[in-house]
Amino acid sequence: MTKVLVSDPIDQAGIDILGQVAQVDQRTGLSAEELKSIIGDYDALMIRSGTQVTADVIAAADRLRIIGRAGVGVDNVDVPAATQRGVLVVNSPEGNTIAAAEHALALLLSLSRHVPQAHGSMRAGAWDRKKYVGNELYKKVLGVVGLGKIGSHVARVAKAMGMEVIAFDPFISADRAQQMQVRLTTLEDLFRQADYITLHIPRTPDTENLVNAELLRSMKSTARIVNCARGGIVDEAALAEAIENGVIAGAGLDVYASEPLSEDSPLRAVERGLVLTPHLGASTEEAQENVATDVAEQIRDVLLGLPARSAVNIPGLSAEIMERLKPHLQLAETLGLLVSQLSGGQVQELEVRLQGEFALHPSQPLMVAALKGLLTNALGDRINYVNASLEAKGRGIHVLEVKDDASRDFAGGSLQLTTRGGQGGHSVTGAVFADGELRVTNIDEFPVNVPPSRHMLFTRHRDMPGIIGHLGSLLGEHNVNIASMQVGRRIVRGDAVMVLSIDDPIPPALLATIHGINGIQEAHPVTL
Ligand SMILES: NC(=O)c1ccc[n+]([C@@H]2O[C@H](COP(=O)([O-])OP(=O)(O)OC[C@H]3O[C@@H](n4cnc5c(N)ncnc54)[C@H](O)[C@@H]3O)[C@@H](O)[C@H]2O)c1
Ligand SMILES: O=C(O)CC[C@@H](O)C(=O)O
């Protein structure tokens, strides 16, 4: 008998769909140990954000074929562990977009009119009209951080309410922002200018504690901030302090670094200017029905041997092709990640050139892997083989595929990714060597031969005496250890590129100093 475990509250519409093909056991509130002890009996697991599907749980899941997340974020699932075990992870990328956007707007309005506090005082028998004088949103500046699905909807509604909308999203093109009548700006400027700020970005290493004490200090003292995206993006202790000390006027939070929010969190002690909700962004009847139906249909289909439409991990490729193309897919993804960081995010066109033997492989998975790499910094764990093409299209990125099987630069062929965009373009080429090792072989038409490593620094500079030594000593002074270094140049004392593999990331202050070195035209730290 096929069995599905539903371990979080899921709308009945989803349960009914699962019931068409399997025995459905609804067991919410399981401890980690209890989940581990029973998961071995199940073919599918359906969850929301409450259940933590750790590597331990997956290791105990002998029969498990699919994990369905009724919602967007899969940060409560160890996706690499699931992929390794061949367990498909599916989600519902759009089912709760409107619900989350409306919740952010609800927090903005509640904050500006003190709705929860006024309600509390009425319940306590008071009739206090003076204490709860608020502010209007009309004609105020709303700063949207992250202009994706939810951020765009919030921006649209805010404009209809007469707000001026500015946004920070380094991965959205100026054209797209213009279509939405939103002015793109820097994060710093947004925090300085906005009367209201709303966050709609994923939690990634780049966005963790993005809103810290320093950024909060740069806000107007009358400004308010809403986080209905992910916990951990805002430094909670710094936020509580900023509200208590009048540095900012208030905040509305739906998500927390650790959930449920602990009873002794400093946030719970803030008396004025703070509205807290317990991760309710997706909690509307409509969204719960949408996500439950969307995910239950995918679980049902997969259990019947059909493909899933929103797989987060394994693409619609056979295991055999995946195995054969593994290093090539890895190269495409690595080059995508690399070229996106060289290009600074604003990419309008990506050209993928399959050269020599690369042109003989199926191109679609390679194109998708390249796009997945290109969008990884923008979308974190939300980008996958299934949605990469769609996400690129949604961002207005034009994708070109060029096959050049006559090229003979490396025995196994090579792959070149070229970006074009508002800030110019970059190109990177790579190859898979006979031992399966990946190599970056060309940067902006300068030949190099570098294995990709976790932390790297790429510079474009004038080939002149002293520049390499200067950079080397500067890194040494800042305790950044260089593992290897290579220079690529076409003519002596012309333009050149330098590629450093380093053991540690470059601190932002050091990057500014590197930019100041005479002869350095560009410097890009890269994390792969
Ligand atoms: N509170 C809830 O219940 C709830 C419900 C649904 C979604 N969410 C969360 O809301 C967030 C947004 O979801 P979405 O569906 O709009 O995602 P999306 O992928 O459509 O949009 C995210 C946007 O953030 C941008 N971005 C990435 N890194 C950035 C950075 N460092 N600075 C600025 N912009 C950056 C991306 O370019 C993208 O446009 C996610 O974190 C999601 O998990 C919360
Ligand atoms: O399951 C929930 O209610 C939270 C969902 C939301 O955070 C998401 O990422 O989709």
Side-chain angles (χ1 to χ4, degrees):
M1 177 70 181
T2 307
K3 287 173 79 178
V4 182
L5 174 64
V6 177
S7 60
D8 285 320
I10 297 289
D11 190 273
Q12 189 58 38
I15 307 294
D16 292 345
I17 293 168
L18 297 174
Q20 296 166 3
V21 293
Q23 173 187 318
V24 185
D25 293 347
Q26 296 182 68
R27 295 191 58 182
T28 55
L30 293 169
S31 69
E33 275 315 305
E34 284 167 333
L35 177 60
K36 224 171 96 177
S37 71
I38 63 168
I39 192 69
D41 288 343
Y42 291 95
D43 304 276
L45 172 65
M46 185 156 174
I47 56 166
R48 278 175 61 186
S49 55
T51 303
Q52 296 298 318
V53 190
T54 58
D56 264 6
V57 169
I58 290 165
D62 293 334
R63 281 171 54 173
L64 201 65
R65 286 157 62 190
I66 176 166
I67 300 167
R69 160 71 162 103
V72 186
V74 286
D75 34 356
N76 52 328
V77 179
D78 190 327
V79 179
T83 306
Q84 207 171 18
R85 290 282 297 224
V87 177
L88 193 64
V89 181
V90 300
N91 71 347
S92 174
E94 287 178 13
N96 57 28
T97 298
I98 302 295
E102 289 186 359
H103 195 68
L105 290 158
L107 288 175
L108 282 172
L109 286 162
S110 313
L111 267 178
S112 61
R113 302 304 290 269
H114 312 294
V115 175
Q117 290 82 357
H119 174 78
S121 86
M122 289 286 282
R123 298 273 307 198
W127 180 261
D128 201 338
R129 298 181 64 214
K130 273 202 191 118
K131 194 170 170 189
Y132 300 114
V133 173
N135 295 101
E136 291 171 13
L137 301 187
Y138 184 64
K139 290 204 167 167
K140 298 292 185 320
V141 177
L142 174 68
V144 179
V145 182
L147 207 51
K149 292 186 282 293
I150 298 172
S152 307
H153 189 73
V154 170
R156 254 191 308 275
V157 177
K159 284 200 75 70
M161 291 173 73
M163 298 189 86
E164 181 192 338
V165 182
I166 59 176
F168 170 66
D169 189 327
F171 308 101
I172 287 288
S173 68
D175 282 356
R176 189 162 171 73
Q178 210 175 7
Q179 277 165 14
M180 295 167 62
Q181 297 175 327
V182 168
R183 180 168 64 81
L184 283 181
T185 184
T186 60
L187 184 70
E188 291 71 23
D189 182 61
L190 183 148
F191 270 72
R192 270 194 308 268
Q193 301 276 326
D195 300 301
Y196 294 87
I197 294 171
T198 183
L199 307 177
H200 300 291
I201 50 181
R203 179 177 174 166
T204 66
D206 275 353
T207 62
E208 223 159 277
N209 278 332
L210 181 79
V211 182
N212 54 20
E214 195 187 336
L215 208 53
L216 289 166
R217 266 196 305 276
S218 71
M219 287 170 66
K220 294 179 183 175
S221 59
T222 49
R224 299 174 169 103
I225 182 165
V226 162
N227 183 10
C228 193
R230 273 291 174 270
I233 297 174
V234 178
D235 177 337
E236 291 171 359
L239 179 71
E241 215 178 297
I243 302 173
E244 300 260 53
N245 297 339
V247 173
I248 65 169
L253 301 179
D254 185 47
V255 285
Y256 308 91
S258 160
E259 295 181 5
L261 182 67
S262 70
E263 280 177 26
D264 57 357
S265 158
L267 293 170
R268 293 198 192 256
V270 179
E271 280 183 7
R272 275 188 68 87
L274 188 62
V275 179
L276 305 178
T277 53
H279 203 147
L280 292 182
S283 293
T284 63
E285 288 179 8
E286 296 85 346
Q288 284 315 306
E289 189 178 333
N290 289 344
V291 295
T293 310
D294 190 1
V295 170
E297 282 176 355
Q298 297 188 66
I299 294 179
R300 177 197 62 197
D301 290 355
V302 168
L303 293 178
L304 291 173
L306 300 167
R309 58 177 171 266
S310 299
V312 170
N313 50 358
I314 303 168
L317 287 171
S318 72
E320 187 224 331
I321 295 186
M322 281 294 280
E323 196 49 43
R324 187 159 54 81
L325 282 187
K326 217 162 154 186
H328 301 80
L329 293 171
Q330 210 186 339
L331 178 72
E333 195 172 329
T334 304
L335 293 180
L337 192 54
L338 170 54
V339 79
S340 78
Q341 291 173 77
L342 297 184
S343 311
Q346 295 213 335
V347 172
Q348 279 156 8
E349 183 171 285
L350 174 72
E351 180 183 305
V352 181
R353 183 173 278 270
L354 302 119
Q355 304 177 138
E357 284 215 359
F358 257 82
L360 308 177
H361 296 303
S363 60
Q364 195 242 358
L366 293 166
M367 301 291 292
V368 169
L371 284 173
K372 178 172 183 281
L374 188 81
L375 295 174
T376 289
N377 275 353
L379 302 179
D381 63 5
R382 310 260 313 283
I383 188 79
N384 57 56
Y385 282 91
V386 172
N387 65 9
S389 304
L390 214 64
E391 290 286 353
K393 198 167 164 204
R395 290 180 153 60
I397 300 174
H398 182 223
V399 185
L400 274 176
E401 175 189 321
V402 181
K403 283 193 170 181
D404 174 11
D405 58 1
S407 163
R408 288 281 166 263
D409 53 353
F410 291 97
S414 64
L415 185 70
Q416 183 182 55
L417 305 193
T418 305
T419 56
R420 296 178 190 105
Q423 296 171 355
H426 284 279
S427 108
V428 294
T429 309
V432 179
F433 283 9
D435 51 4
E437 290 282 308
L438 309 187
R439 287 288 191 288
V440 179
T441 57
N442 214 293
I443 309 225
D444 291 340
E445 302 299 330
F446 291 95
V448 291
N449 183 348
V450 200
S453 65
R454 173 117 179 94
H455 299 294
M456 302 181 88
L457 176 70
F458 290 78
T459 68
R460 179 82 179 254
H461 60 274
R462 293 288 297 166
D463 179 29
M464 59 191 210
I467 203 157
I468 297 175
H470 191 160
L471 184 58
S473 354
L474 202 56
L475 294 182
E477 279 161 28
H478 287 78
N479 205 23
V480 176
N481 197 36
I482 302 176
S484 73
M485 193 214 68
Q486 260 206 36
V487 177
R489 61 182 189 180
R490 283 187 300 243
I491 51 165
V492 175
R493 298 211 179 213
D495 280 351
V497 293
M498 184 166 13
V499 186
L500 299 172
S501 297
I502 46 187
D503 293 336
D504 319 276
I506 301 271
L510 173 57
L511 185 63
T513 318
I514 294 173
H515 277 125
I517 297 179
N518 182 27
I520 296 229
Q521 297 145 356
E522 288 178 38
H524 304 276
V526 163
T527 304
L528 297 175

